[in-house]
Structure formats: structure tokens, C-alpha cells
Amino acid sequence: MAFELTSPAFENGKPIPIRHTCDGEDISPALEWSGVPDKATSLVLICDDPDAPGGTFDHWIVYNLPPDIDGLGEGIALGTALEGGGNQGRNDFRKVGYGGPCPPSGTHRYYFTLYAVDGTLDYTEPPGKQAVLDDIEDSVLGKAQLMGTYSR
């Protein structure tokens, strides 16, 4: 079975609903996945925007998700710990948790990337994306991706 990431809120390559953006409720979309590699001991989720004017902008970092869950519900609360397991890192809005699409102009792409990892991560402070990516670099067992767009 292929490692796949989907959302009931939007299809791959299609617009992200306003409710999941800064122009709406700014709540995280529900995400679903399947085909997690058997040897995975945790999952890492990152959402970023490579079309941001100043370079890639990080919207959401989640790590240490249990590999036996099959998704996240809509509207994950801000703060480090997730109910049921997992932690959130610091996004480029300088918040711990989800910060939705909020492009200054034009259409931007938002990549939700789920990594299956052999290992868990331990931080004293909520990490940023690059720290997480550096720490999982040698332990990624699989990667699934979902892309949505948003324009203002």
C-alpha cells in the first residue's frame, strides 16, 4: 500500500477553503493518511509555502505523532502537546501550532508533507522546521505529500 496523505477539506492541487486561512477561522484542516511504513516509530508533519516573497514560509510543524493513528481532526489547538500524542513546533508566524495560508498577493502553493520516521524527537523548546528536518534526515522511511492552493 502506498503512503498517502489526503484531506476531506480539499483535493490535491485544489484551493484550500477560506476557513483554514487567515481570512477565515484560521483552523487546521483535517488530514488523513494511509500506508505508513511498518517500521515507523513516529510521524512528522510540515506545512510550508515555497511561494512566499521572502523564501519558504513555515505554517505548521508537528512531530512525534504516533504511527498507528490515521489522521488529525480539524482545528488542532495551538500549543505544544496534541491530545493523543505528538507535539507542535514554532511556525514562521512565531506561534506554536498551525498558522493558515495568508499570502500577500497572488496564488500560493501550500505543501503538507508527512514523514514516516524511525525514531522520536526530544526538544526543550518548540523547534522550527529546519531543526526537525535536520534531526530526521537519516531516519525517514517514507514521505507523503498533499498540496493545496490559496489566493487573496
Side-chain angles (χ1 to χ4, degrees), residues 19-128:
R19 70 182 281 123
H20 303 295
T21 74
C22 69
D23 295 321
E25 296 170 58
D26 205 15
I27 59 172
S28 61
L31 296 170
E32 300 169 349
W33 52 82
S34 60
V36 174
D38 290 338
K39 294 184 180 184
T41 54
S42 71
L43 301 172
V44 169
L45 174 69
I46 292 174
C47 175
D48 57 21
D49 168 10
D51 302 318
T56 300
F57 193 91
D58 305 326
H59 287 264
W60 200 17
I61 297 98
V62 185
Y63 61 97
N64 290 344
L65 286 166
D68 58 347
I69 65 172
D70 59 4
L72 291 173
E74 180 182 76
I76 300 296
L78 297 179
T80 57
L82 272 69
E83 192 174 311
N87 300 92
Q88 297 182 88
R90 187 169 308 282
N91 61 37
D92 283 342
F93 292 111
R94 295 189 172 92
K95 295 189 301 187
V96 175
Y98 177 80
C102 198
S105 63
T107 300
H108 287 226
R109 297 167 296 157
Y110 297 87
Y111 288 91
F112 292 81
T113 307
L114 184 67
Y115 299 88
V117 178
D118 180 17
T120 56
L121 302 171
D122 187 28
Y123 301 101
T124 55
E125 296 291 326

